[in-house]
Amino acid sequence: MVHIPGAGNGLLAAQLFSFTIAAAIPDKNAIWNEIKQSGACCTALNYFLPDKVHYNNLTDLGYQSSQLSFWSAQEAALQPTCIVVPTSSQDVSLAVTILSLGFQAGISGCQFAVRGAGHTPWAGAANIDGGVTIDTQSLNQVTVSSNQGTVSVGPGNRWGNVYPTLDNLNVAMVGGRLSHVGVGGLVIGGGISFFSGRYGFACDNLQAIEIVLANGTVATASSSKNADLFKALKGGTNNFGVVTRFDAKLYPQKPFWGGTIVQPATNKEALFDFFVKFTNSSTYDPYAALITNFAWLEGIPSVINDVVYTNGDVAWPPPTYAPLDTMAKILSTMRVAHLSNITDELAASAAATNGHNNLLTTVTFVNKGNVSAEFMSQVFDLADATAKQLITVVGLVYTMTLQPLPYTIYSKSAATGGNVLGLDRFNEDLINLLFTLSWQLPTDNVRVEAAMQQLESDILALEKQMGVFNEFVYLNYAAQWQDPISGYGDNNVQFLKSVSKKYDPNGVFQKGVPGGFKVGT
C-alpha cells in the first residue's frame, strides 16, 4: 500500500513525505523554496517544467491551442493564468506537488483544474479562471500488450486516436461512442459503450489505473493494490488525483453493423412501444446498442437513431431490430464497418456544435411496461413545448435522447468487483434520458439553463406521478446544477468520502480542484 502521511507539525512537515516518487522529481525542499521565493505557482511550474507551461497571451500558441480544443464556449471562456502540458507521469507528479503545496500555503492562483479532451460543457468542469489548468492531452499513448489481451491508454486520448490501432488488430476495448470524446472523463465517470450489453461499463473493464495523488505519489490502483481507490475511481471522477494511465481489457472484435436510421417524428409512438420491448432484460440482445435522438431544428422534430449490432456476421436486420427497420424511414446508413468508422460518423453529426455554448442534462426512469411508453410520450410533449419556448435562441440545436440501461447491462459490474455508481441497489430495467443543447450566443445562456432546469423538474415530477422514478443521474451527462454523486446512494457517498480522506487527507482535490462533481468532506 502507498503510505499516506497525516497532517501535523505544519504544512512543510506534513508534505515532506516518507517515500520516494522517482529520481527525476526534485527534492520537496527545493520545490517549496521555489514556491516561497516566486510567490506564484505558475512561476514555480515554469521553473521546474520549462517549455511545458503556457501563458495567457496571444503569442503563446500552446495556450491558445489548449483553449480552442474545448467542446463548449463556456469552458473556453475561462482564462487560467497558465496551462501546464505534461508529457509523462513524472511531469504530472511534479505539477501536482507544486500546486498542492502552493494551494495549502494559501498562495494565490494555485487552485487548479484537470482536463483531458474537455468535453464536459459547463464552465469550470475542466478549466479554471485565474488558476492553473493541467492539460493531459499529450498523455495519449495507446500500447497493446504482446498477447493482445490488454491495452494501456493515456487519459488525454480521444477515442478517435485509440480505435484505429485496435481495429487494425481486430480487437476492441469498452469505450466511448463518439470519436471526439475524451478517454479520461468518460472512463472515470462510468462509460456507456456499444459493447456494454456484452461487457458492462467501460470502468468495469479496467485492470489497473495509474494515478498521481495529491501528495505527488505516482500510485497504481487495481483489484489487488489500493483496491479501495480502484473501486472509487470507477465512477468517482476527479476526486482522488490525476489519472495518467488506464490498463483495460481487450476483446476480439471484427467489423460489425452500425449506422444511422433517420425517421419522421410521426413514428414516435411506435418508437416508444419498441423501446419498451427493446429494453427488457429478459429478451435483451447483448450485441445491440441503440441511441434514439429526437432532434428539433427550428422547432421541427425528427428522429435520428444511432444503431449498432456488434456481430457483423448476421444478416440485417437481426430480430431485435426488425420492428425498428420496418418503420417508415427517411435515410439509413447501416453497413458493416470498423468501430472507428462508426464513431467518426456519430462525431461528424455533432461537429456543428464544436465551440458553441453547449449543455447536457439527464435523468433516469424505470422501464415499466406500457406505463413507460406513455411516460415517454408525455415527456416528448414537455420537451416539444420547451423547444418552442426557445425557438428564438440563435443557432439552437435541441436534442432529446433515449438510451436503454437494462439490468442485464449494469449488473455486470458485480463480476469485476463493482463500481460506485450505486446501480447495484436496483434490479429494474432502466432508460436514460438525455438532453443536449447547443446555441451560439452567450447572452442566451441564462435563459436556456433556466428552461432546462424547469423541464428537468417537470420530468422528475412526472416520473414520480407515474411510478417510474429512479434517482440515478449519469455523471457524464449531468448539468452543473445536478448532483449525480448523491444519486449513488448513501453507502457509496460515505465510501467515496472515506477514500478521499485516506488518499488526500488535506482535501486538495475537494478544495484545490473546484471543478467537477465533488464527494465533499
Side-chain angles (χ1 to χ4, degrees):
M1 293 289 288
V2 172
H3 172 67
I4 305 298
N9 299 323
L11 173 68
L12 186 57
Q15 297 296 319
L16 295 179
F17 317 116
S18 61
F19 49 78
T20 301
I21 297 172
I25 302 300
D27 178 83
K28 299 301 185 300
N29 282 307
I31 294 174
W32 178 240
N33 288 336
E34 180 61 29
I35 294 172
K36 287 194 298 182
Q37 181 177 334
S38 67
C41 277
C42 282
T43 304
L45 286 164
N46 193 51
Y47 179 84
F48 287 109
L49 292 167
D51 303 322
K52 296 181 180 180
V53 179
H54 302 277
Y55 288 89
N56 186 9
N57 61 68
L58 294 177
T59 61
D60 193 326
L61 298 182
Y63 188 98
Q64 303 304 326
S65 175
S66 178
Q67 289 286 90
L68 289 171
S69 64
F70 284 104
W71 175 44
S72 75
Q74 296 101 312
E75 280 281 65
L78 301 182
Q79 297 188 338
T81 303
C82 68
I83 298 172
V84 57
V85 182
T87 58
S88 68
S89 301
Q90 287 70 33
D91 288 349
V92 176
S93 172
L94 183 50
V96 170
T97 301
I98 292 167
L99 292 164
S100 179
L101 286 167
F103 170 71
Q104 291 178 84
I107 295 174
S108 178
C110 292
Q111 281 192 313
F112 63 103
V114 183
R115 66 158 295 188
H119 196 259
T120 302
W122 50 272
N127 205 10
I128 194 167
D129 253 337
V132 178
T133 294
I134 299 177
D135 183 341
T136 68
Q137 289 183 93
S138 292
L139 300 178
N140 61 355
Q141 71 274 20
V142 182
T143 306
V144 178
S145 65
S146 58
N147 67 356
Q148 297 184 12
T150 60
V151 61
S152 294
V153 180
N157 276 296
R158 297 171 192 260
W159 294 105
N161 187 53
V162 176
Y163 290 152
T165 297
L166 305 183
D167 285 346
N168 288 337
L169 300 171
N170 281 323
V171 294
M173 67 178 290
V174 182
R177 295 166 295 177
L178 280 76
S179 57
H180 68 286
V181 169
V183 168
L186 181 135
V187 173
I188 60 175
I192 300 172
S193 168
F194 291 142
F195 305 111
S196 289
R198 293 156 67 189
Y199 310 123
F201 295 119
C203 67
D204 293 321
N205 287 272
L206 295 173
Q207 293 190 322
I209 301 172
E210 182 182 83
I211 182 171
V212 175
L213 303 175
N215 55 26
T217 305
V218 180
T220 298
S222 68
S223 59
S224 60
K225 188 174 184 181
N226 301 315
D228 52 352
L229 178 60
F230 185 52
K231 182 177 180 179
L233 286 166
K234 293 191 284 184
T237 190
N238 72 345
N239 282 283
F240 310 102
V242 181
V243 172
T244 50
R245 192 187 76 241
F246 296 103
D247 296 340
K249 296 177 185 176
L250 289 176
Y251 299 95
Q253 182 63 53
K254 296 187 294 184
F256 55 87
W257 286 103
T260 299
I261 297 176
V262 181
Q263 300 174 308
T266 51
N267 282 11
K268 67 181 191 309
E269 301 302 331
L271 266 171
F272 296 146
D273 288 335
F274 164 76
F275 217 90
V276 169
K277 297 180 179 71
F278 184 87
T279 310
N280 190 319
S281 277
S282 65
T283 55
Y284 189 80
D285 189 326
Y287 290 93
L290 176 63
I291 305 170
T292 293
N293 307 286
F294 293 85
W296 283 259
L297 294 175
E298 299 182 356
I300 306 300
S302 61
V303 184
I304 304 168
N305 295 288
D306 300 316
V307 181
V308 161
Y309 195 77
T310 59
N311 182 354
D313 293 331
V314 302
W316 185 263
T320 193
Y321 280 126
L324 177 69
D325 195 65
T326 58
M327 294 180 200
K329 62 173 78 74
I330 299 168
L331 171 72
S332 173
T333 66
M334 295 304 299
R335 77 280 189 192
V336 174
H338 277 297
L339 176 59
S340 55
N341 180 266
I342 294 167
T343 56
D344 283 346
E345 180 183 21
L346 268 64
S349 67
T353 64
N354 290 344
H356 287 200
N357 298 282
N358 294 309
L359 182 149
L360 304 175
T361 187
T362 186
V363 299
T364 305
F365 63 94
V366 177
N367 188 36
K368 197 174 184 181
N370 293 332
V371 174
S372 290
E374 175 60 24
F375 171 76
M376 286 184 271
S377 181
Q378 292 193 38
V379 168
F380 178 90
D381 291 341
L382 291 171
D384 187 58
T386 303
K388 288 179 170 60
Q389 175 190 339
L390 296 174
I391 197 168
T392 58
V393 173
V394 177
L396 181 68
V397 179
Y398 177 106
T399 305
M400 181 183 87
T401 300
L402 296 167
Q403 297 179 74
L405 189 57
Y407 175 78
T408 188
I409 286 180
Y410 66 77
S411 61
K412 294 186 188 305
S413 65
T416 60
N419 55 47
V420 293
L421 299 176
L423 289 166
D424 57 331
R425 295 170 292 158
F426 310 124
N427 57 15
E428 299 162 307
D429 295 327
L430 305 174
I431 295 175
N432 175 264
L433 174 64
L434 164 67
F435 288 91
T436 306
L437 279 74
S438 181
W439 63 99
Q440 291 182 12
L441 303 178
T443 50
D444 285 321
N445 289 12
V446 171
R447 176 186 172 192
V448 172
E449 290 175 10
M452 296 311 295
Q453 286 189 60
Q454 183 60 55
L455 177 59
E456 179 206 353
S457 177
D458 291 343
I459 291 171
L460 291 175
L462 184 63
E463 283 190 19
K464 293 172 182 176
Q465 176 188 328
M466 298 185 71
V468 295
F469 173 75
N470 184 276
E471 67 176 325
F472 178 69
V473 175
Y474 182 42
L475 184 144
N476 286 343
Y477 296 162
Q480 185 173 10
W481 66 78
Q482 295 185 290
D483 184 9
I485 289 177
S486 70
Y488 291 178
D490 291 344
N491 290 342
N492 280 318
V493 171
Q494 291 307 312
F495 171 73
L496 289 167
K497 288 181 178 181
S498 69
V499 173
S500 171
K501 289 175 182 176
K502 177 180 177 181
Y503 291 89
D504 181 13
N506 296 307
V508 171
F509 281 88
Q510 300 306 305
K511 296 170 286 188
V513 183
F517 296 105
K518 303 287 97 170
V519 303
T521 55

